Amino acid sequence: MPPLPRLLASALLTALLAGCGGLSPMYAGGGSGTVARALSGVEVPSIQGQSGWLVRNALVDRLGAGGKDGARYRLDVRLDERLQGLGILSDDTVTRERRTLRARFQLVDLASGDVVLDATAGADAGLDVVSSEYAVIAAEQTALENLSREVAGQIVTRVAVKLRKPQ
């Protein structure tokens, strides 16, 4: 490209990017940034069941929440987990399953007791049912682990967006 068109294209791109002054990275500042510090101040109480244990561990890992000392918020999570047969043969044999994990969560300000965020998250996965019972159980467990991480990721993203905005 000749120098003049390249220079004009560069100037146009610079002008367009200057108009996006309101955009900034969510996790600017890394671990010491505003969002990271706010997320580390979120306490996650125990969640019932195996899926609750998996989701809570994923949340604590992603939030960077150490202990309950210095927590400013509490994240209450209720889960709904289902496993249903989808593909059914004429002899009533299930050939396909769908595993779903839904979460309703509330972010509570510990100082005032106000609910700052009330939202839902969810994910689902399809599984093939094969002749090996062990393989089916392993696939169901793996699906639950993956769904737990996915739901926790959705929750952390929503909480981060909420805590990034000025209260």
Side-chain angles (χ1 to χ4, degrees):
M1 185 180 245
L4 185 59
R6 193 178 306 163
L7 182 64
L8 289 173
S10 176
L12 180 62
L13 184 59
T14 302
L16 287 174
L17 289 176
C20 298
L23 298 178
S24 64
M26 170 131 15
Y27 295 103
S32 61
T34 306
V35 173
R37 283 193 318 259
L39 289 177
S40 68
V42 177
E43 164 191 327
V44 184
S46 295
I47 307 169
Q48 190 173 15
Q50 179 187 15
S51 58
W53 182 81
L54 290 167
V55 169
R56 183 184 183 281
N57 284 346
L59 285 169
V60 169
D61 287 345
R62 290 178 186 225
L63 292 170
K68 296 181 181 191
D69 298 337
R72 181 164 179 217
Y73 300 97
R74 183 183 70 241
L75 184 62
D76 295 326
V77 180
R78 284 179 278 140
L79 296 175
D80 179 32
E81 172 186 357
R82 295 178 195 254
L83 181 64
Q84 65 186 136
L86 292 179
I88 301 177
L89 299 177
S90 60
D91 64 350
D92 288 334
T93 304
V94 175
T95 60
R96 188 99 175 126
E97 291 178 336
R98 179 180 179 202
R99 182 158 220 158
T100 59
L101 184 61
R102 304 281 181 254
R104 170 135 190 240
F105 60 96
Q106 294 181 325
L107 185 66
V108 180
D109 186 326
L110 293 175
S112 65
D114 292 341
V115 174
V116 178
L117 175 65
D118 187 354
T120 60
D124 59 27
L127 311 159
D128 289 326
V129 177
V130 296
S131 59
S132 168
E133 189 175 329
Y134 174 77
V136 173
I137 291 170
E140 290 172 354
Q141 181 62 33
T142 300
L144 179 60
E145 292 168 3
N146 292 338
L147 293 174
S148 297
R149 284 191 298 272
E150 187 173 337
V151 167
Q154 291 175 22
I155 292 171
V156 170
T157 299
R158 294 284 302 272
V159 169
V161 168
K162 182 64 178 177
L163 295 180
R164 182 172 184 236
K165 295 177 183 173
Q167 297 298 323

Coordinates of all heavy atoms in Angstrom, one line a residue, residues 66-141:
G66 N -10.6 -15.9 49.7 CA -9.8 -16.7 50.6 C -10.7 -17.2 51.7 O -11.3 -18.2 51.6
G67 N -10.9 -16.4 52.8 CA -11.8 -16.8 53.9 C -12.9 -15.8 54.0 O -13.2 -15.0 53.1
K68 N -13.5 -15.9 55.2 CA -14.7 -15.0 55.4 C -14.2 -13.7 56.0 O -15.0 -12.8 56.2 CB -15.7 -15.7 56.3 CG -16.2 -16.9 55.7 CD -17.2 -17.6 56.5 CE -17.7 -18.8 55.8 NZ -18.9 -19.5 56.4
D69 N -12.9 -13.6 56.3 CA -12.4 -12.3 56.9 C -12.4 -11.2 55.8 O -11.9 -11.4 54.7 CB -11.0 -12.5 57.4 CG -10.9 -13.5 58.5 OD1 -12.0 -13.8 59.2 OD2 -9.8 -14.1 58.7
G70 N -13.0 -10.1 56.1 CA -13.0 -9.0 55.2 C -14.0 -9.1 54.1 O -13.9 -8.3 53.1
A71 N -14.9 -10.0 54.1 CA -15.9 -10.2 53.1 C -16.8 -9.0 53.1 O -17.3 -8.6 54.2 CB -16.6 -11.5 53.2
R72 N -17.1 -8.5 52.0 CA -18.1 -7.4 51.9 C -19.4 -7.9 51.3 O -20.5 -7.3 51.6 CB -17.5 -6.3 50.9 CG -18.5 -5.1 50.8 CD -17.8 -3.9 50.2 NE -18.9 -2.9 50.2 CZ -19.0 -2.0 49.2 NH1 -18.2 -2.0 48.3 NH2 -20.0 -1.1 49.3
Y73 N -19.4 -9.0 50.6 CA -20.6 -9.5 50.0 C -20.7 -11.0 50.3 O -19.7 -11.7 50.6 CB -20.6 -9.4 48.5 CG -20.5 -7.9 48.0 CD1 -19.3 -7.4 47.7 CD2 -21.7 -7.1 47.9 CE1 -19.2 -6.0 47.2 CE2 -21.6 -5.8 47.5 CZ -20.3 -5.3 47.1 OH -20.3 -4.0 46.7
R74 N -21.9 -11.5 50.2 CA -22.2 -13.0 50.3 C -22.9 -13.4 49.0 O -23.9 -12.7 48.6 CB -23.1 -13.3 51.5 CG -23.3 -14.8 51.8 CD -24.2 -15.1 52.9 NE -25.6 -14.6 52.6 CZ -26.3 -13.7 53.3 NH1 -25.7 -13.1 54.3 NH2 -27.5 -13.4 53.0
L75 N -22.5 -14.5 48.5 CA -23.1 -15.0 47.2 C -23.9 -16.2 47.6 O -23.3 -17.3 47.9 CB -22.0 -15.3 46.2 CG -22.5 -15.8 44.8 CD1 -23.4 -14.7 44.2 CD2 -21.3 -16.1 44.0
D76 N -25.2 -16.1 47.6 CA -26.1 -17.2 47.9 C -26.5 -17.9 46.6 O -27.0 -17.2 45.7 CB -27.4 -16.7 48.7 CG -27.1 -16.2 50.0 OD1 -26.1 -16.7 50.7 OD2 -27.7 -15.2 50.5
V77 N -26.3 -19.2 46.5 CA -26.6 -19.9 45.3 C -27.5 -21.1 45.6 O -27.2 -21.9 46.5 CB -25.3 -20.4 44.7 CG1 -25.6 -21.2 43.4 CG2 -24.3 -19.3 44.4
R78 N -28.5 -21.3 44.8 CA -29.4 -22.4 44.9 C -29.4 -23.1 43.5 O -29.5 -22.5 42.5 CB -30.9 -22.1 45.2 CG -31.0 -21.7 46.7 CD -32.4 -21.3 47.1 NE -32.5 -19.9 46.7 CZ -33.5 -19.3 46.2 NH1 -34.6 -20.0 45.9 NH2 -33.6 -18.0 45.9
L79 N -29.2 -24.4 43.5 CA -29.0 -25.2 42.3 C -30.2 -26.0 42.0 O -30.9 -26.6 42.9 CB -27.8 -26.0 42.3 CG -26.5 -25.3 42.4 CD1 -25.3 -26.3 42.6 CD2 -26.2 -24.4 41.2
D80 N -30.5 -26.2 40.7 CA -31.5 -27.2 40.2 C -30.8 -28.0 39.2 O -30.3 -27.5 38.2 CB -32.7 -26.5 39.6 CG -33.8 -27.4 39.1 OD1 -33.9 -28.5 39.7 OD2 -34.4 -27.1 38.1
E81 N -30.7 -29.3 39.5 CA -30.0 -30.2 38.6 C -30.9 -31.3 38.1 O -31.7 -31.9 38.9 CB -28.9 -30.9 39.4 CG -28.1 -31.9 38.8 CD -27.1 -32.6 39.8 OE1 -27.0 -32.1 40.9 OE2 -26.5 -33.5 39.4
R82 N -30.9 -31.6 36.8 CA -31.7 -32.7 36.2 C -31.0 -33.5 35.3 O -30.1 -33.1 34.6 CB -32.9 -32.0 35.5 CG -33.8 -31.3 36.4 CD -34.9 -30.6 35.7 NE -35.6 -29.6 36.5 CZ -36.7 -29.8 37.1 NH1 -37.4 -30.9 36.9 NH2 -37.2 -28.8 37.9
L83 N -31.4 -34.8 35.2 CA -30.9 -35.7 34.2 C -32.1 -36.4 33.6 O -32.8 -37.1 34.3 CB -29.9 -36.7 34.9 CG -29.3 -37.8 34.0 CD1 -28.3 -37.1 33.0 CD2 -28.5 -38.8 34.9
Q84 N -32.3 -36.3 32.3 CA -33.4 -36.9 31.7 C -33.1 -37.6 30.4 O -32.2 -37.2 29.7 CB -34.5 -35.8 31.4 CG -34.1 -34.8 30.4 CD -35.1 -33.7 30.2 OE1 -34.7 -32.5 30.2 NE2 -36.4 -34.0 30.2
G85 N -33.8 -38.7 30.2 CA -33.6 -39.5 29.0 C -34.3 -38.8 27.8 O -35.4 -38.4 27.9
L86 N -33.6 -38.8 26.7 CA -34.1 -38.2 25.5 C -34.4 -39.2 24.4 O -35.5 -39.3 23.9 CB -33.2 -37.1 25.0 CG -33.0 -35.9 25.8 CD1 -32.0 -34.9 25.2 CD2 -34.3 -35.2 26.0
G87 N -33.4 -39.9 24.0 CA -33.5 -40.9 22.9 C -34.0 -42.2 23.5 O -33.3 -42.8 24.2
I88 N -35.2 -42.6 23.1 CA -35.8 -43.8 23.7 C -36.1 -44.7 22.5 O -36.8 -44.3 21.6 CB -37.0 -43.5 24.6 CG1 -36.6 -42.6 25.7 CG2 -37.6 -44.8 25.1 CD1 -37.7 -42.1 26.6
L89 N -35.6 -46.0 22.6 CA -35.9 -47.0 21.6 C -37.3 -47.6 21.9 O -37.9 -47.4 22.9 CB -34.8 -48.0 21.6 CG -33.4 -47.5 21.3 CD1 -32.4 -48.7 21.3 CD2 -33.4 -46.9 19.9
S90 N -37.7 -48.5 21.0 CA -39.0 -49.1 21.1 C -39.1 -50.0 22.3 O -40.2 -50.3 22.8 CB -39.4 -49.9 19.8 OG -38.4 -50.9 19.6
D91 N -38.0 -50.5 22.8 CA -37.9 -51.4 24.0 C -37.7 -50.6 25.3 O -37.3 -51.1 26.3 CB -36.9 -52.5 23.9 CG -35.5 -52.0 23.8 OD1 -35.3 -50.7 23.6 OD2 -34.5 -52.8 23.9
D92 N -38.0 -49.3 25.2 CA -37.8 -48.3 26.3 C -36.4 -48.2 26.8 O -36.1 -47.8 28.0 CB -38.7 -48.7 27.5 CG -40.2 -48.5 27.2 OD1 -40.5 -47.6 26.4 OD2 -41.1 -49.1 27.8
T93 N -35.4 -48.5 26.0 CA -34.0 -48.3 26.3 C -33.6 -46.8 26.0 O -33.9 -46.3 24.9 CB -33.1 -49.2 25.5 OG1 -33.5 -50.6 25.7 CG2 -31.7 -49.1 25.9
V94 N -33.0 -46.1 26.9 CA -32.6 -44.8 26.7 C -31.2 -44.8 26.0 O -30.3 -45.5 26.4 CB -32.5 -44.0 28.1 CG1 -31.9 -42.6 27.9 CG2 -33.8 -43.9 28.8
T95 N -31.1 -44.0 24.9 CA -29.9 -43.9 24.2 C -29.2 -42.6 24.3 O -28.0 -42.4 23.9 CB -30.1 -44.2 22.7 OG1 -31.0 -43.2 22.2 CG2 -30.7 -45.6 22.5
R96 N -29.9 -41.6 24.8 CA -29.3 -40.3 24.9 C -29.9 -39.6 26.2 O -31.1 -39.8 26.5 CB -29.7 -39.4 23.7 CG -29.1 -38.1 23.6 CD -27.9 -38.1 22.6 NE -27.4 -36.8 22.5 CZ -26.1 -36.4 22.7 NH1 -25.3 -37.3 23.0 NH2 -25.7 -35.2 22.6
E97 N -29.1 -38.9 26.9 CA -29.5 -38.2 28.1 C -29.1 -36.7 28.0 O -28.2 -36.3 27.3 CB -28.8 -38.7 29.3 CG -29.3 -40.1 29.7 CD -28.5 -40.7 30.9 OE1 -27.4 -40.2 31.2 OE2 -29.1 -41.5 31.6
R98 N -29.9 -35.9 28.7 CA -29.6 -34.5 28.8 C -29.4 -34.1 30.3 O -30.3 -34.4 31.1 CB -30.7 -33.7 28.2 CG -30.5 -32.2 28.3 CD -31.6 -31.4 27.7 NE -31.4 -30.0 27.8 CZ -32.4 -29.1 27.8 NH1 -33.6 -29.5 27.6 NH2 -32.2 -27.8 27.9
R99 N -28.3 -33.6 30.6 CA -28.0 -33.1 32.0 C -28.0 -31.6 32.0 O -27.4 -31.0 31.2 CB -26.6 -33.6 32.5 CG -26.4 -33.3 33.9 CD -25.3 -34.1 34.5 NE -25.8 -34.4 35.9 CZ -25.4 -35.4 36.6 NH1 -24.6 -36.3 36.1 NH2 -25.8 -35.6 37.8
T100 N -28.9 -31.1 32.9 CA -29.0 -29.6 33.0 C -28.6 -29.2 34.5 O -28.9 -29.9 35.4 CB -30.4 -29.1 32.7 OG1 -31.3 -29.7 33.6 CG2 -30.8 -29.4 31.3
L101 N -28.0 -28.0 34.5 CA -27.7 -27.4 35.8 C -28.1 -26.0 35.8 O -27.6 -25.2 34.9 CB -26.2 -27.6 36.2 CG -25.7 -27.1 37.5 CD1 -26.4 -27.9 38.6 CD2 -24.2 -27.2 37.6
R102 N -29.0 -25.6 36.6 CA -29.4 -24.2 36.7 C -29.1 -23.6 38.1 O -29.2 -24.3 39.1 CB -31.0 -24.1 36.5 CG -31.4 -24.7 35.2 CD -31.2 -23.8 34.0 NE -31.6 -24.3 32.7 CZ -30.8 -24.8 31.8 NH1 -29.5 -24.8 32.0 NH2 -31.3 -25.3 30.7
A103 N -28.8 -22.4 38.1 CA -28.5 -21.7 39.4 C -29.3 -20.4 39.5 O -29.3 -19.6 38.6 CB -27.0 -21.4 39.5
R104 N -29.8 -20.2 40.7 CA -30.4 -18.9 41.0 C -29.4 -18.3 42.1 O -29.2 -19.0 43.1 CB -31.8 -19.0 41.6 CG -32.3 -17.7 42.1 CD -33.6 -17.3 41.7 NE -33.9 -15.9 42.1 CZ -34.9 -15.6 42.9 NH1 -35.7 -16.6 43.4 NH2 -35.1 -14.4 43.2
F105 N -28.9 -17.1 41.9 CA -28.0 -16.6 42.8 C -28.3 -15.2 43.2 O -28.9 -14.4 42.4 CB -26.5 -16.7 42.3 CG -26.3 -16.0 41.0 CD1 -25.7 -14.7 41.0 CD2 -26.6 -16.6 39.8 CE1 -25.5 -14.1 39.8 CE2 -26.3 -16.0 38.6 CZ -25.8 -14.7 38.6
Q106 N -27.9 -14.8 44.4 CA -28.1 -13.5 44.9 C -26.8 -13.0 45.5 O -26.2 -13.7 46.3 CB -29.2 -13.4 46.0 CG -30.6 -13.8 45.4 CD -31.7 -13.7 46.5 OE1 -31.4 -14.0 47.6 NE2 -32.9 -13.2 46.1
L107 N -26.4 -11.8 45.2 CA -25.3 -11.2 45.8 C -25.8 -10.2 46.9 O -26.6 -9.3 46.6 CB -24.5 -10.4 44.7 CG -23.2 -9.8 45.2 CD1 -22.2 -10.9 45.6 CD2 -22.6 -8.9 44.1
V108 N -25.4 -10.5 48.1 CA -26.0 -9.7 49.2 C -24.9 -8.8 49.8 O -23.8 -9.3 50.1 CB -26.5 -10.7 50.3 CG1 -27.1 -9.9 51.5 CG2 -27.6 -11.6 49.7
D109 N -25.2 -7.6 50.0 CA -24.2 -6.6 50.7 C -24.3 -6.9 52.2 O -25.4 -6.8 52.8 CB -24.6 -5.2 50.4 CG -23.6 -4.2 50.9 OD1 -23.0 -4.4 52.0 OD2 -23.5 -3.1 50.3
L110 N -23.2 -7.4 52.8 CA -23.2 -7.8 54.2 C -23.5 -6.6 55.1 O -24.0 -6.8 56.2 CB -21.9 -8.5 54.5 CG -21.7 -9.8 53.9 CD1 -20.3 -10.4 54.2 CD2 -22.8 -10.8 54.3
A111 N -23.1 -5.4 54.7 CA -23.2 -4.2 55.6 C -24.7 -3.8 55.7 O -25.2 -3.5 56.8 CB -22.4 -3.0 55.1
S112 N -25.4 -3.8 54.6 CA -26.8 -3.4 54.7 C -27.8 -4.5 54.6 O -29.0 -4.3 54.9 CB -27.0 -2.4 53.5 OG -26.9 -3.1 52.3
G113 N -27.4 -5.7 54.1 CA -28.3 -6.8 54.0 C -29.1 -6.7 52.7 O -30.0 -7.5 52.4
D114 N -28.9 -5.7 51.8 CA -29.6 -5.5 50.6 C -29.1 -6.5 49.5 O -27.9 -6.9 49.5 CB -29.3 -4.1 50.0 CG -30.0 -3.0 50.8 OD1 -30.9 -3.3 51.6 OD2 -29.5 -1.9 50.7
V115 N -30.0 -7.0 48.7 CA -29.7 -7.9 47.6 C -29.2 -6.9 46.4 O -30.0 -6.2 45.9 CB -30.9 -8.7 47.1 CG1 -30.5 -9.5 45.9 CG2 -31.3 -9.7 48.3
V116 N -27.9 -7.0 46.1 CA -27.3 -6.2 45.1 C -27.6 -6.8 43.7 O -27.8 -6.0 42.7 CB -25.8 -6.0 45.3 CG1 -25.2 -5.2 44.2 CG2 -25.6 -5.4 46.7
L117 N -27.6 -8.1 43.6 CA -27.8 -8.7 42.3 C -28.6 -10.0 42.5 O -28.4 -10.8 43.4 CB -26.5 -9.1 41.7 CG -26.5 -9.9 40.4 CD1 -27.1 -9.1 39.2 CD2 -25.0 -10.3 40.0
D118 N -29.7 -10.2 41.7 CA -30.5 -11.4 41.8 C -30.6 -11.9 40.3 O -31.3 -11.2 39.5 CB -31.9 -11.1 42.4 CG -32.7 -12.3 42.6 OD1 -32.3 -13.4 42.2 OD2 -33.8 -12.1 43.2
A119 N -30.0 -13.0 40.0 CA -30.0 -13.5 38.6 C -29.9 -15.0 38.6 O -29.9 -15.7 39.6 CB -28.8 -12.9 37.9
T120 N -29.9 -15.5 37.3 CA -29.8 -17.0 37.1 C -28.7 -17.3 36.1 O -28.3 -16.4 35.4 CB -31.2 -17.5 36.5 OG1 -31.4 -16.9 35.3 CG2 -32.3 -17.3 37.5
A121 N -28.3 -18.5 36.2 CA -27.3 -19.0 35.2 C -27.6 -20.5 34.9 O -28.3 -21.1 35.8 CB -25.9 -18.9 35.8
G122 N -27.2 -21.0 33.8 CA -27.5 -22.3 33.5 C -26.7 -22.9 32.4 O -26.2 -22.1 31.5
A123 N -26.6 -24.2 32.3 CA -25.9 -24.9 31.2 C -26.5 -26.3 31.1 O -27.1 -26.8 32.0 CB -24.4 -24.9 31.5
D124 N -26.3 -26.9 29.9 CA -26.8 -28.2 29.7 C -25.8 -29.0 28.8 O -25.0 -28.4 28.1 CB -28.2 -28.3 29.2 CG -28.4 -27.7 27.9 OD1 -27.4 -27.5 27.1 OD2 -29.5 -27.2 27.6
A125 N -25.9 -30.3 28.9 CA -25.0 -31.2 28.1 C -25.7 -32.4 27.7 O -26.6 -32.9 28.4 CB -23.7 -31.5 28.9
G126 N -25.4 -32.9 26.5 CA -26.0 -34.1 26.0 C -25.0 -35.3 26.1 O -23.8 -35.1 26.0
L127 N -25.5 -36.4 26.5 CA -24.7 -37.6 26.7 C -25.2 -38.8 25.9 O -26.5 -39.0 25.9 CB -24.7 -38.0 28.2 CG -24.4 -36.9 29.2 CD1 -24.9 -37.3 30.6 CD2 -22.9 -36.7 29.3
D128 N -24.3 -39.6 25.3 CA -24.7 -40.8 24.7 C -24.8 -41.9 25.8 O -23.9 -42.0 26.6 CB -23.8 -41.2 23.6 CG -23.9 -40.3 22.4 OD1 -25.0 -39.9 22.1 OD2 -22.9 -40.1 21.7
V129 N -25.8 -42.7 25.8 CA -25.9 -43.9 26.7 C -25.4 -45.1 25.9 O -26.0 -45.5 24.9 CB -27.3 -44.1 27.2 CG1 -27.4 -45.3 28.1 CG2 -27.8 -42.8 27.9
V130 N -24.3 -45.7 26.4 CA -23.7 -46.8 25.7 C -24.0 -48.1 26.6 O -24.5 -48.0 27.7 CB -22.2 -46.6 25.5 CG1 -22.0 -45.5 24.5 CG2 -21.5 -46.3 26.8
S131 N -23.5 -49.2 26.1 CA -23.8 -50.5 26.8 C -23.0 -50.6 28.1 O -23.4 -51.4 29.0 CB -23.5 -51.7 25.9 OG -22.1 -51.6 25.5
S132 N -21.9 -49.9 28.2 CA -21.1 -50.0 29.5 C -21.6 -49.0 30.5 O -21.6 -47.8 30.3 CB -19.6 -49.6 29.1 OG -18.9 -49.4 30.3
E133 N -22.1 -49.6 31.6 CA -22.7 -48.8 32.7 C -21.6 -47.9 33.3 O -21.9 -46.7 33.6 CB -23.3 -49.7 33.8 CG -24.0 -48.9 34.8 CD -24.7 -49.8 35.8 OE1 -25.1 -50.9 35.5 OE2 -24.9 -49.4 37.0
Y134 N -20.4 -48.4 33.4 CA -19.3 -47.6 33.9 C -19.0 -46.3 33.0 O -18.9 -45.2 33.5 CB -18.0 -48.4 34.0 CG -16.8 -47.6 34.5 CD1 -16.6 -47.2 35.8 CD2 -15.9 -47.1 33.5 CE1 -15.6 -46.4 36.2 CE2 -14.8 -46.3 33.9 CZ -14.7 -46.0 35.2 OH -13.6 -45.2 35.6
A135 N -19.0 -46.5 31.7 CA -18.8 -45.4 30.8 C -19.9 -44.4 30.9 O -19.6 -43.2 30.8 CB -18.7 -45.9 29.4
V136 N -21.1 -44.8 31.1 CA -22.3 -43.9 31.3 C -22.1 -43.1 32.6 O -22.3 -41.8 32.6 CB -23.6 -44.6 31.2 CG1 -24.8 -43.7 31.5 CG2 -23.8 -45.3 29.9
I137 N -21.8 -43.7 33.6 CA -21.6 -43.1 34.9 C -20.4 -42.1 34.8 O -20.5 -40.9 35.3 CB -21.4 -44.1 36.1 CG1 -22.6 -44.9 36.3 CG2 -20.9 -43.4 37.3 CD1 -22.5 -46.0 37.2
A138 N -19.3 -42.5 34.2 CA -18.2 -41.6 34.0 C -18.6 -40.4 33.2 O -18.2 -39.2 33.5 CB -17.0 -42.3 33.4
A139 N -19.4 -40.6 32.1 CA -19.8 -39.5 31.2 C -20.7 -38.5 32.0 O -20.6 -37.3 31.8 CB -20.5 -40.0 30.0
E140 N -21.6 -39.1 32.8 CA -22.5 -38.2 33.6 C -21.7 -37.4 34.6 O -22.0 -36.2 34.8 CB -23.5 -39.1 34.3 CG -24.6 -39.7 33.4 CD -25.5 -40.7 34.1 OE1 -25.3 -41.0 35.3 OE2 -26.4 -41.2 33.5
Q141 N -20.7 -38.0 35.2 CA -19.9 -37.2 36.2 C -19.1 -36.2 35.5 O -19.0 -35.0 36.0 CB -19.0 -38.2 37.0 CG -18.1 -37.6 38.0 CD -18.9 -36.9 39.1 OE1 -20.0 -37.4 39.5 NE2 -18.4 -35.8 39.7

